[in-house]
Amino acid sequence: MKRSVKANAASTPPMSRARSTAWMTLLCGMVLTCLPISQAASRPNIVFVFSDDHAVQAIGAYGSKVNRTPHIDRLAHEGALYVNSFCANSICGPSRACILTGKHSHLNGFLRNGDRFDGTQTTFPKILSQSGYHTAMIGKWHLGTDPTGFDYWEILPGQGSYYNPDFIQMDGTRKRYQGYCTDQITDLAIEWMDKQKDSDKPFLLMCQHKAPHRNWSPHPRHFGKYPMGSIPEPESLFDDYAGRSSLLKENEMTLKDHFHWGHDSKFHGDNLYTQHFGPLGNGEYRRMNPEQKAAWDAYYEPENQSFLHQMKEGSLSEKEITQWKYQRYMHDYLGSVQAVDDSVGRILDYLDQNQLSENTIVIYSSDQGFYLGEHGWYDKRWMFEESLKMPFLVRWPGKIQPGTRSEALIQNIDYGPTFLDIAGASIPEEMQGRSLKPLFENGGGKTSDWRDAIYYAYYENAAVHAVPIHDGIRTQNHKLMYFPRNGEWNLFDLKNDPHEMQSLHQDQTYQPVLTALKQRYQDIKTFYDANSAVIPQTRGDEPWWRQRDQAKNNLLKEGNIDLAFIGDSITQGWEGSGKAIWEQYYGNRKPINLGFGGDRTEHVIWRLNKGAWNRIQPKIAVVMIGTNNTGHKMQAPAETAQGVERILSILEERAPDTKVLLLGVFPRGRSLHDRGRVINQGINQIIRRFADGKRVHYLDLGDHFLNPNGECPEDIMPDALHLNEQGYRIWAEAMEPKLKELGL
Ligand code: CA
């Protein structure tokens, strides 16, 4: 019956998407059973082979200089290769969430690894399942919650393991398979397809590998496939990070300084050279059975001992040690890739042998790219080409011209809409990506209305590898990156500087390009509804901020708080020039100061979400935030106000009995017509309306600080932004009646 729903939707005349959805709902489960089966049966199967961290530089069809992937390349020869294929957020879980939902991270809610995917939201597998597809998800899932939208799933716990992997079953139990993960996933995928092949329903198979994710542990059949010493080095292996964002130098993902002893380098025992190797041991080796260990050691130990002998002799320079690490890294990474290529070969063979190839669309992709020594790195995250790019190869016999090569800008948010379109299902309005089917049908190339730029955003700083939050756009020839922590822009001319070694944002001749791209960046963020003021952001990569956050959280955990001040440096200043006044007014009222200098609304949102608010229920929370959204970015008042609104709703959820005293953002700038002042006034005109007189109360103290000319006087606000002791006295006196009125 579900099959018929889909077929009918495909045969309906063009209509608006909203009407089409209503139409489908109306028809659901009734009229459609009378549709001819043949129509449904013609819908193609979808086989989505997806790996983890497989960079395009390690795929033959993309011009690899380091390895060969004959089976993956088959897809390019028999179908299409997309050379400008990008992720929306270069990290494992978020990329998967973008694919499932067809939305950018800030709307699907999975911003960083460790988040939990909300499986109740709309995803393409759910719609395909409802429209008559058998659906299966096998392999790496990594989204924290159980898969939804699949008739069948069997997934790795978290990152999974290469050797003797465990799989979570649909009943929640775990099953351990002896053998190699990539091969096991392929076995399960083929077994599942074999059960579907005689069904009259089409199928969606998501075959998702752990490989070649760290810690890159190849199958013995690929030991020595790319021997150490034979692999060409990238030009930027010894990048000094000059000429680009100053934050680049802070990274912790270099082969030189962040490559671990057991985990990455595959040594046993104690770390003998702690100045060259990180401490992590090789957990994968510990999983192996005696035969596997014997095979492993037979390959690795002679090379390890040879290296250690040279180290003991002191015959290796710093540079040579890094070069050795690169060779070890690439041997292991490329060996892990090779099993993925084998997997693709087995799946294509299975389709051929079972006469399924003609009516099956096969896609190969990976959750994001990876650095294969470029910029001295392993790992991903940064918006440079190597990790921004995703492989995308697709074969669709009879539809896609063999050997097609496309330069259209495509992104992982497009996959869901594409699969729905291929299946004849309607694409929900809420999905932000676009179907690639029109490109497939247009020789792979762009249609005239295709996008001119993709948007990228990375949110996971403070975790591992010290990569700051950043976002940006990538057009056909240029890339613009923005680093909110220090307000830096980077601009790259990808034609003239494909390795992105020199930002041109300060180059006079590029000012017109910079201006145009900044405009496009703002517009695309608006288009994708990406208001930074409401997207939770940590500043955990700044040690003082991380330590203060931890200390304040410890106080929250202790509980016993009646009065919480939440804000930025102006609030934090109660611990500085306002200290004596604070003691006088609040010292014995069980207060806590949650002001963090430099915070914007998005940081407060992060702190409130992550903080131990389950332990406290203050009588009053005094909230003042937003002046840094103005000062750092001149953000539009409506956007900042949305951030304030989000803060109020988090407080409502986490501390429902707490009364909120929302303060108008204090005036800034000496003059009445200072741009920042004007923007803050705009914020206040919006947020005052958030008061309901019951839980949320609004107070604007601005006039108390100003002189009769409307200026911020130096004897109260020395820098026209922060208060001195006199300023804090004025604040406390002016606010006191309201605190009493609210019952403090
Ligand atoms: Ca990944």
Side-chain angles (χ1 to χ4, degrees):
M1 177 189 303
K2 284 172 175 177
R3 166 183 68 242
S4 324
V5 172
K6 242 20 278 144
N8 195 30
S11 66
T12 49
M15 59 177 73
S16 79
R17 203 178 275 171
R19 273 187 62 209
S20 161
T21 307
W23 175 231
M24 296 247 320
T25 309
L26 182 71
L27 291 178
C28 215
M30 26 188 279
V31 191
L32 305 171
T33 43
C34 58
L35 272 180
I37 298 261
S38 60
Q39 198 172 341
S42 69
R43 292 182 297 162
N45 305 307
I46 299 168
V47 172
F48 180 64
V49 185
F50 191 62
S51 60
D52 195 324
D53 295 359
H54 190 182
V56 296
Q57 311 93 281
I59 294 178
Y62 281 93
S64 171
K65 295 174 184 154
V66 292
N67 70 333
R68 297 169 296 280
T69 50
H71 302 299
I72 294 171
D73 296 354
R74 247 188 90 185
L75 295 173
H77 301 143
E78 297 169 11
L81 177 78
Y82 282 78
V83 295
N84 286 323
S85 157
F86 305 103
C87 61
N89 182 351
S90 183
I91 187 96
C92 304
S95 178
R96 287 147 212 273
C98 290
I99 289 170
L100 290 167
T101 61
K103 293 178 185 175
H104 279 282
S105 306
H106 64 279
L107 292 190
N108 68 43
F110 202 101
L111 294 161
R112 50 187 77 76
N113 279 346
D115 284 345
R116 288 171 63 78
F117 184 68
D118 172 10
T120 66
Q121 61 188 311
T122 302
T123 63
F124 84 84
K126 280 187 192 172
I127 301 175
L128 284 186
S129 177
Q130 285 156 12
S131 45
Y133 268 69
H134 290 296
T135 55
M137 161 64 223
I138 293 164
K140 182 170 171 182
W141 176 248
H142 204 213
L143 289 170
T145 52
D146 285 347
T148 54
F150 299 96
D151 328 324
Y152 179 78
W153 55 263
E154 188 165 357
I155 58 172
L156 301 172
Q159 297 282 8
S161 304
Y162 278 100
Y163 277 81
N164 309 325
D166 295 319
F167 283 75
I168 303 174
Q169 309 296 303
M170 292 178 75
D171 64 5
T173 59
R174 290 192 183 198
K175 183 172 174 183
R176 178 165 299 187
Y177 294 91
Q178 291 299 309
Y180 190 67
C181 188
T182 310
D183 298 343
Q184 186 59 44
I185 289 170
T186 311
D187 289 346
L188 292 170
I190 289 175
E191 272 170 38
W192 184 81
M193 283 195 289
D194 213 44
K195 287 183 189 145
Q196 317 308 317
K197 68 173 194 266
D198 298 323
S199 166
D200 62 346
K201 292 167 75 168
F203 64 79
L204 161 74
L205 168 66
M206 297 179 76
C207 171
Q208 304 198 164
H209 292 295
K210 170 199 171 57
H213 191 278
R214 200 178 176 195
N215 69 338
W216 323 296
S217 303
H219 187 282
R221 70 177 180 273
H222 297 127
F223 289 167
K225 169 95 178 157
Y226 301 102
M228 290 186 65
S230 74
I231 305 155
E233 292 173 2
E235 285 175 33
S236 58
L237 182 59
F238 296 96
D239 194 343
D240 63 1
Y241 309 122
R244 286 148 294 175
S245 167
S246 60
L247 300 175
L248 214 52
K249 291 187 179 69
E250 295 182 15
N251 82 83
E252 295 176 359
M253 48 191 267
T254 62
L255 292 163
K256 177 177 173 291
D257 293 325
H258 309 100
F259 206 64
H260 288 258
W261 178 256
H263 193 57
D264 302 319
S265 310
K266 315 295 175 10
F267 292 116
H268 295 320
D270 292 337
N271 183 356
L272 299 177
Y273 300 98
T274 52
Q275 70 275 38
H276 296 295
F277 295 92
L280 290 178
N282 189 359
E284 203 59 60
Y285 182 79
R286 290 194 283 272
R287 295 184 65 86
M288 295 178 193
N289 64 34
E291 295 77 41
Q292 290 165 338
K293 282 183 178 169
W296 183 273
D297 288 339
Y299 177 75
Y300 281 89
E301 277 310 294
E303 287 188 344
N304 288 355
Q305 292 310 320
S306 157
F307 175 78
L308 293 176
H309 178 71
Q310 293 179 77
M311 287 295 281
K312 210 174 283 176
E313 282 188 326
S315 62
L316 295 176
S317 67
E318 182 102 5
K319 184 179 175 192
E320 286 168 330
I321 294 169
T322 300
Q323 288 174 315
W324 184 90
K325 290 176 184 174
Y326 170 75
Q327 294 293 332
R328 169 53 52 88
Y329 165 45
M330 291 303 287
H331 168 271
D332 293 353
Y333 179 90
L334 297 175
S336 304
V337 164
Q338 214 62 36
V340 175
D341 191 59
D342 293 347
S343 168
V344 172
R346 285 182 60 200
I347 287 170
L348 294 180
D349 286 348
Y350 174 83
L351 295 173
D352 284 346
Q353 286 153 12
N354 290 277
Q355 290 76 50
L356 289 168
S357 292
E358 283 304 305
N359 195 37
T360 299
I361 178 165
V362 181
I363 283 137
Y364 180 76
S365 179
S366 187
D367 58 354
Q368 83 290 305
F370 216 65
Y371 296 97
L372 306 184
E374 298 91 354
H375 308 296
W377 292 332
Y378 62 90
D379 214 74
K380 48 237 178 187
R381 303 163 200 272
W382 295 93
M383 196 193 165
F384 295 109
E385 293 291 271
E386 292 83 358
S387 70
L388 179 64
K389 283 193 171 172
M390 293 168 78
F392 191 87
L393 303 95
V394 52
R395 186 185 77 174
W396 194 7
K399 300 279 187 182
I400 295 176
Q401 189 71 25
T404 297
R405 179 188 163 91
S406 173
E407 294 191 351
L409 303 172
I410 69 168
Q411 204 165 20
N412 52 356
I413 56 170
D414 299 329
Y415 298 6
T418 303
F419 297 151
L420 294 174
D421 200 11
I422 287 167
S426 58
I427 302 161
E429 229 23 281
E430 67 190 88
M431 287 192 175
Q432 298 184 309
R434 292 179 61 179
S435 170
L436 304 174
K437 189 161 166 271
L439 303 187
F440 296 164
E441 291 165 345
N442 187 37
K446 291 198 286 186
T447 59
S448 54
D449 68 343
W450 197 250
R451 67 167 69 89
D452 63 311
I454 58 108
Y455 177 64
Y456 174 86
Y458 175 79
Y459 299 100
E460 187 174 293
N461 74 354
V464 277
H465 299 310
V467 179
I469 286 172
H470 61 289
D471 69 353
I473 60 170
R474 203 272 197 200
T475 65
Q476 205 78 41
N477 296 326
H478 294 94
K479 183 180 293 174
L480 181 69
M481 294 163 69
Y482 176 67
F483 297 90
R485 177 169 146 199
N486 59 7
E488 278 179 307
W489 296 91
N490 271 187
L491 171 68
F492 297 99
D493 181 332
L494 300 170
K495 275 251 161 82
N496 295 325
D497 179 23
H499 301 304
E500 299 163 291
M501 302 299 284
Q502 178 65 52
S503 172
L504 300 166
H505 66 286
Q506 288 172 323
D507 186 319
Q508 278 311 309
T509 58
Y510 276 86
Q511 290 315 297
V513 178
L514 181 66
T515 304
L517 289 183
K518 279 185 178 177
Q519 182 65 51
R520 194 69 192 93
Y521 165 84
Q522 293 300 343
D523 292 344
I524 207 167
K525 286 182 74 169
T526 305
F527 176 69
Y528 285 126
D529 197 16
N531 173 7
S532 61
V534 301
I535 303 170
Q537 282 200 17
T538 172
R539 291 171 62 198
D541 54 340
E542 298 171 67
W544 78 266
W545 191 96
R546 187 169 64 241
Q547 284 152 17
R548 181 173 173 84
D549 190 38
Q550 209 158 34
K552 294 297 181 183
N553 244 318
N554 290 339
L555 291 174
L556 290 178
K557 284 177 189 162
E558 285 172 20
N560 197 28
I561 291 166
D562 279 347
L563 177 62
F565 280 72
I566 299 167
D568 47 41
S569 59
I570 302 174
T571 295
Q572 186 176 356
W574 284 113
E575 295 171 5
S577 46
K579 199 164 191 291
I581 314 294
W582 173 274
E583 283 307 318
Q584 181 188 340
Y585 276 83
Y586 313 121
N588 59 0
R589 293 160 107 173
K590 301 180 185 171
I592 186 168
N593 184 335
L594 299 174
F596 284 54
D599 266 15
R600 299 184 296 270
T601 52
E602 55 264 42
H603 305 119
V604 173
I605 290 169
W606 166 278
R607 290 197 273 120
L608 292 178
N609 276 333
K610 298 285 173 184
W613 280 79
N614 46 335
R615 307 292 182 88
I616 67 162
Q617 197 72 236
K619 288 180 181 163
I620 296 174
V622 177
V623 176
M624 183 174 68
I625 188 72
T627 202
N628 290 324
N629 296 70
T630 301
H632 299 170
K633 303 178 165 188
M634 293 296 157
Q635 196 155 16
E639 289 192 356
T640 304
Q642 278 182 19
V644 174
E645 192 171 24
R646 183 68 57 88
I647 287 165
L648 296 179
S649 72
I650 295 169
L651 282 171
E652 182 175 18
E653 188 185 310
R654 304 214 65 186
D657 298 330
T658 295
K659 286 183 178 162
V660 178
L661 178 53
L662 177 63
L663 299 185
V665 184
F666 287 177
R668 63 181 297 157
R670 203 60 78 206
S671 120
L672 190 59
H673 298 109
D674 176 89
R675 187 173 170 214
R677 174 93 72 93
V678 172
I679 291 175
N680 280 0
Q681 285 165 347
I683 297 169
N684 290 346
Q685 288 307 303
I686 301 171
I687 65 173
R688 69 182 175 80
R689 295 184 297 191
F690 300 154
D692 59 12
K694 293 173 190 151
R695 190 181 67 87
V696 180
H697 302 261
Y698 180 76
L699 191 60
D700 193 329
L701 302 174
D703 285 351
H704 293 267
F705 303 109
L706 301 175
N707 69 19
N709 297 327
E711 294 161 348
C712 285
E714 278 186 51
D715 58 351
I716 295 174
M717 289 185 173
D719 64 354
L721 176 63
H722 298 94
L723 304 173
N724 61 15
E725 183 170 14
Q726 172 63 7
Y728 281 101
R729 184 181 305 281
I730 293 170
W731 180 354
E733 283 173 2
M735 191 168 70
E736 188 56 26
K738 195 71 182 177
L739 292 181
K740 290 220 168 83
E741 181 192 319
L742 296 178
L744 191 73

